[in-house]
Amino acid sequence: LIVSLARVKINVTGMDVDKVPTDRKMLFVCNHQHDFDPVIIWSVFPNNDIGFIGKKEIYTTMPLVAKVMHKLYGLPIDRENNREAAKTIIQATKYIKEDKASIAVFPEGYTSLECKLLPFRNGAFKIATKPQVPIVVCTLNGTREIPKRMIWRGCTVDFKVIDIIYPEDYEGMNTN
């Protein structure tokens, strides 16, 4: 509904989205340009229950968004406190193991203001390695234009599934 109201067209390219497994939970990993990124991912994968990990500030500054995220298995993460961040990673792993939801993360930890890829935080990948689930690697481009162009002019967002990394492909690797 949000994508339609904002007049956003999503160009999906890369690996065929239909090849993304629907019979099991997984970890979605994507770059992060804007707060609209989760909405685009939910739109591309409407048949997958996906919970997002978001900065803890969302839960204090945007109570309505926080309620929606909580209902959809969203988890707050304290990016400045490693011990608290580890608790979030453990909870995300539980959601996957208990078959409640797949988890999506933006391993850069922050939105990129210049739309350039930032260094990844390796803790995000622990969510996949503990329950041994596939990692769906995606990219987004154009979400920063949504608030500038929505409703009147609309815009196009490019979404690409780069690869699906299965547990046997990352077996024996560490999260670094």
Side-chain angles (χ1 to χ4, degrees):
L1 180 63
I2 293 171
V3 170
S4 296
L5 289 174
R7 298 186 59 201
V8 175
K9 180 179 185 262
I10 305 170
N11 285 335
V12 180
T13 59
M15 182 178 282
D16 189 358
V17 175
D18 294 333
K19 291 183 181 176
V20 175
T22 56
D23 61 335
R24 57 183 150 165
K25 301 305 179 204
M26 63 205 84
L27 176 68
F28 290 85
V29 175
C30 191
N31 64 312
H32 197 19
Q33 292 185 349
H34 195 272
D35 294 339
F36 278 105
D37 294 349
V39 175
I40 301 301
I41 294 172
W42 276 319
S43 297
V44 173
F45 300 104
N47 298 325
N48 294 74
D49 294 326
I50 303 173
F52 283 83
I53 294 180
K55 60 185 177 182
K56 72 174 185 168
E57 293 82 6
I58 291 171
Y59 287 79
T60 55
T61 60
M62 297 188 239
L64 181 61
V65 173
K67 280 187 180 191
V68 171
M69 283 184 64
H70 181 71
K71 294 263 187 211
L72 299 171
Y73 298 105
L75 295 166
I77 191 161
D78 186 343
R79 300 174 295 185
E80 308 306 322
N81 183 329
N82 288 342
R83 179 164 282 158
E84 291 301 313
K87 289 178 184 177
T88 299
I89 290 168
I90 290 167
Q91 184 60 48
T93 303
K94 283 182 184 178
Y95 282 166
I96 292 173
K97 282 183 178 178
E98 294 169 0
D99 204 35
K100 289 183 178 179
S102 291
I103 298 295
V105 295
F106 304 109
E108 297 166 281
Y110 296 90
T111 55
S112 174
L113 299 177
E114 291 91 31
C115 296
K116 293 181 180 176
L117 198 60
L118 300 173
F120 283 7
R121 294 170 171 231
N122 62 358
F125 297 101
K126 291 180 181 177
I127 298 167
T129 59
K130 297 289 183 192
Q132 293 288 297
V133 295
I135 302 171
V136 180
V137 183
C138 313
T139 62
L140 271 165
N141 193 25
T143 53
R144 293 186 67 78
E145 295 300 313
I146 294 173
K148 299 174 194 171
R149 303 177 59 91
M150 65 191 233
I151 300 175
W152 303 114
R153 294 180 282 174
C155 69
T156 301
V157 171
D158 295 319
F159 183 89
K160 185 173 185 177
V161 176
I162 303 294
D163 199 3
I164 300 172
I165 306 170
Y166 290 93
E168 54 272 12
D169 298 329
Y170 61 77
E171 186 177 337
M173 294 180 173
N174 65 33
T175 56
N176 288 330

